[in-house]
Amino acid sequence: MPELPEIETIKRVLEPQVQGQTIEKAVVRHPKVIVRPTADEFCERLAGQTIDHLERRGKFLTIALADQERIVLHLRMTGCLLLAPADLPEEKHTHVVLQLSGGSELRFSDMRRFGRFWLFQKNEDNTDSGMEKLGMEPFDPAFSAGYLEARLGRRKKTIKACLLEQEIIAGIGNIYSDEILFTAGIHPVRPAASLTWEEWERLAAVIPERLSYFIEKNKVTPKEYLESKGENYRNAPFLQVYGHEGTPCPICGSKLCRMVVGGRSSVYCPVCQKEK
């Protein structure tokens, strides 16, 4: 599933290209992906609307329209949002197409068809998508060791599982939780309640630093994004532990280990991340 750095990359690549363009026609081929309103109403309301800007919140992407309506989108496991020339053949499993005034199309494809769209009117509360339940953004000025300790300091749940809770921190998934915990030197199965104040401070510093680092490494030009068909995981060469089970730790040389934490794969260094 795309995580915060990937969604931020999509926003940064697509926003300059679609800003100010008018949606001349919306086409929905699989109504299931439109949660709100009906697929027919979705198409009717978008025709003639102008795109103002894009926003990211956690793993959600919002297309803000000039009349203050907004399209909320979650890519889920295999969703892809691609801006392509109208004459370029569509990808398989293309479910939604927004035909734009500039001669291009904003296309949503999704092999598993788990991705979802919501269209909200001006001043309409977003109570359907789950975005309203999200916790603090890692780049929020109020994000701190105090926030983390207050929300997690008494939890017996593993710190790895806690980092994946979107109601606490928005946007972190399995990949970057491994990278964050490795950089912070914290074992993934440590109960959150066992962390010291020094470790909360370390986490509060490492979380935004690592996410910023991978956003930077994910940088891609519009041409590269289109040619890769929206596969913007350019950070793979820079991952230190995720996906590297059995290879030497980049810090101490010990063999990286894999375990399952809360049903999710987790790779860590048994020396640099000692289980206290």
Side-chain angles (χ1 to χ4, degrees):
M1 176 188 289
E3 300 180 28
L4 187 155
E6 287 72 44
I7 302 302
E8 182 65 25
T9 297
I10 293 170
K11 173 192 174 295
R12 294 184 183 189
V13 169
L14 296 182
E15 184 175 45
Q17 300 182 83
V18 301
Q19 260 182 322
Q21 293 209 42
T22 299
I23 301 171
E24 296 185 337
K25 183 179 181 181
V27 178
V28 176
R29 300 205 175 94
H30 290 283
K32 179 182 176 182
V33 304
I34 309 298
V35 178
R36 175 184 183 142
T38 65
D40 288 342
E41 185 180 346
F42 180 87
C43 294
E44 291 171 6
R45 281 168 52 185
L46 287 183
Q49 295 262 33
T50 299
I51 297 174
D52 187 72
H53 65 279
L54 272 60
E55 300 172 359
R56 180 200 55 77
R57 176 79 169 96
K59 301 177 189 178
F60 287 85
L61 190 66
T62 296
I63 303 173
L65 305 173
D67 72 346
Q68 298 186 49
E69 287 198 273
R70 59 203 188 279
I71 306 166
V72 174
L73 167 64
H74 199 298
L75 298 179
R76 301 286 171 85
M77 294 293 294
T78 57
C80 173
L81 197 61
L82 197 65
L83 184 71
D87 59 356
L88 187 73
E90 292 181 4
E91 295 302 304
K92 287 184 178 180
H93 313 291
T94 296
H95 307 314
V96 178
V97 178
L98 304 182
Q99 298 174 3
L100 304 180
S101 55
S104 57
E105 295 180 344
L106 194 57
R107 301 171 179 174
F108 170 74
S109 60
D110 188 356
M111 180 178 65
R112 295 193 179 184
R113 216 180 298 170
F114 291 161
R116 292 292 183 267
F117 283 77
W118 297 261
L119 177 59
F120 295 98
Q121 295 178 334
K122 178 182 177 181
N123 298 326
E124 186 177 11
D125 290 336
N126 178 353
T127 57
D128 292 357
S129 68
M131 192 165 69
E132 77 284 358
K133 299 177 182 178
L134 292 177
M136 191 177 289
E137 284 282 321
F139 306 120
D140 191 306
F143 186 77
S144 65
Y147 171 79
L148 292 175
E149 199 273 339
R151 297 298 301 272
L152 302 173
R154 297 183 179 181
R155 301 279 296 275
K156 295 180 180 179
K157 200 171 186 178
T158 67
I159 187 60
K160 163 75 182 243
C162 287
L163 291 183
L164 299 179
E165 291 186 13
Q166 300 303 298
E167 296 83 0
I168 305 296
I169 312 170
I172 299 175
N174 204 41
I175 296 173
Y176 300 112
S177 59
D178 277 3
E179 295 297 310
I180 288 164
L181 290 172
F182 174 73
T183 302
I186 299 172
H187 196 284
V189 301
R190 288 269 305 280
S194 74
L195 268 63
T196 65
W197 177 251
E198 180 186 359
E199 288 171 323
W200 288 122
E201 287 188 314
R202 204 182 311 153
L203 264 184
V206 165
I207 288 171
E209 184 278 326
R210 286 289 83 189
L211 294 174
S212 295
Y213 173 83
F214 286 111
I215 289 171
E216 182 67 22
K217 294 303 180 184
N218 252 351
K219 271 189 176 179
V220 60
T221 66
K223 181 180 178 182
E224 290 169 333
Y225 183 81
L226 178 60
E227 288 176 347
S228 69
K229 299 177 181 178
E231 293 293 333
N232 65 328
Y233 296 96
R234 299 168 64 86
N235 54 33
F238 306 102
L239 296 173
Q240 293 185 289
V241 291
Y242 182 84
H244 293 294
E245 173 195 1
T247 64
C249 169
I251 293 178
C252 73
S254 301
K255 184 182 290 187
L256 296 176
C257 300
R258 176 186 175 275
M259 66 190 315
V260 176
V261 182
R264 308 294 296 275
S265 173
S266 187
V267 180
Y268 66 99
C269 174
V271 175
C272 298
Q273 298 167 266
K274 291 182 179 179
E275 184 178 359
K276 298 179 183 177

